[in-house]
Amino acid sequence: MTTFVPLLTKDQITRLPERAREVVEYRKSGLSLNHVQGCSLGCAYCIRHTYGLWDENQPRALMADAQAVEELVNHRYFTPHVTPVQIFNRATEPFLPKVRPHTFAVLEDLDARELTNHVLVITRHQLKPDDIDRLNQLHNLKVTLLFTYSGIDNKDIEPYPSHVAAESLKLMSTPTRRKYRTILYWRPLVPGLNDTDEHLAVAHELSKHADATVFTGLFYRDQIAEYYKANKLPEPYEDTARRKIVPETLERRVLDAFSNSSALFRKTSCAVSYAHGLPDYNGHYGIRELCDICPLSQLELCAGAHRVPTSDQLHDVARVLPEAGDLKVVDTNDRAAVVSGLAAEQPRYFLQHALGFQVHDERHPHHANRHGRADLGWKDQTCK
């Protein structure tokens, strides 16, 4: 059993925070595999703050790659050829030199199983020409590289320079024939930090190299806000939120800057699906205000796949999950199914991907024009 990063002992693993011990976790854009944890890039807004992993700046493995893949494909949330998968998107950078071999080991193991699932790999690191050849040897998986680029030049907030991701995006997008797809993952956009007209113009130019572009804002959770305050970093907002913050005026300026773009999206799954010529696997089509910037060809694909599930269908899909025993279907309409009785988000994501249709929790309503985003910065905001 070989790992390129140190392998933690059982005692070391038991001392990790509870969520850090969860190697497989469902997140909105896919089932996330994170058996390697720790990152040296030091982005102040990193989601690792919320997992109790911020101080782990050197990658370590909880188990070998083969064991991790077995846990993934045998997980109750995993459905072959259906469930979107994310690799190392929560606790490390997948193309750090020592993590890179683990990333390819997982990809090649999954591909050898003849799985055709979407696999999302989110990176801001330097990629190399050899990576093109190795990724092109994958025959079955629908691999998407999402290059996190912000244009933030404040090194106290983002020490690792954005131009590295920009150059990697250009490199990996160059081949005219490739089996993987590339996305400009333009995030986090923060008012007063990286939203000048020049920032927007640079991002627009960079987007021409990608198969699609997604723009989104900042996760500003309590733990991240505490870190900003403790380190005297400029606080972007007065309040925190459970969802990403994209103020209304900022979205309008982004849409204006990209008015002649044919591949700009508000949602990750929309961009990924578009890049592979498939309908959105998250079923956003019912949320019509999300689609007003989508290409007509993509709208037609998504419309053809749009099916409103019945209450019975929702219960049938949920029946395999012990944690969904108290599920209640509050409403189903053309936009989404609204449910209650789920103690956590993960089973909701399972239902959403199994049905290819939006499933919302009654406790966390999605408001018009800011679907799945925080209410901060919007008119008539209603904080939840």
Side-chain angles (χ1 to χ4, degrees), residues 3 10 38 43 67 76 79 99 104 114 122 141 169 179 205 212 222-223 230 248 253 258 261 301 343 361 382:
T3 61
K10 288 183 179 180
C43 303
Q67 182 183 351
R76 66 188 182 282
T79 302
V99 180
F104 278 112
E114 299 185 351
I122 302 170
L141 299 174
L169 168 63
K179 296 180 179 178
E205 190 64 28
D222 291 344
Q223 301 93 326
E248 186 175 7
R253 291 182 58 231
F258 276 68
S261 172
L301 270 178
D361 191 310
T382 304

Side-chain angles (χ1 to χ4, degrees), residues 36-147:
V36 176
Q37 302 178 354
C39 181
S40 57
L41 299 189
C43 303
Y45 49 77
C46 183
I47 197 68
R48 289 186 299 128
H49 286 290
T50 67
Y51 291 88
L53 290 171
W54 173 252
D55 293 330
E56 299 297 338
N57 57 17
Q58 294 301 316
R60 306 179 300 173
L62 279 69
M63 61 185 65
D65 300 320
Q67 182 183 351
V69 173
E70 285 293 326
E71 290 212 7
L72 174 69
V73 300
N74 291 299
H75 198 280
R76 66 188 182 282
Y77 291 145
F78 181 81
T79 302
H81 316 299
V82 174
T83 309
V85 172
Q86 299 175 316
I87 299 176
F88 302 145
N89 72 316
R90 186 189 83 180
T92 192
E93 155 59 55
F95 286 100
L96 285 173
K98 289 184 179 179
V99 180
R100 175 188 300 265
H102 296 279
T103 300
F104 278 112
V106 169
L107 288 170
E108 289 161 1
D109 189 335
L110 291 171
D111 193 68
R113 296 168 187 256
E114 299 185 351
L115 294 167
T116 59
N117 302 63
H118 281 288
V119 179
L120 284 63
V121 185
I122 302 170
T123 181
R124 63 170 70 242
H125 211 271
Q126 181 181 12
L127 274 79
K128 304 174 182 178
D130 288 349
D131 296 328
I132 297 172
D133 297 332
R134 197 159 178 184
L135 287 168
N136 274 332
Q137 291 172 20
L138 302 173
H139 298 292
N140 303 298
L141 299 174
K142 292 186 280 289
V143 176
T144 305
L145 302 176
L146 297 100
F147 293 91

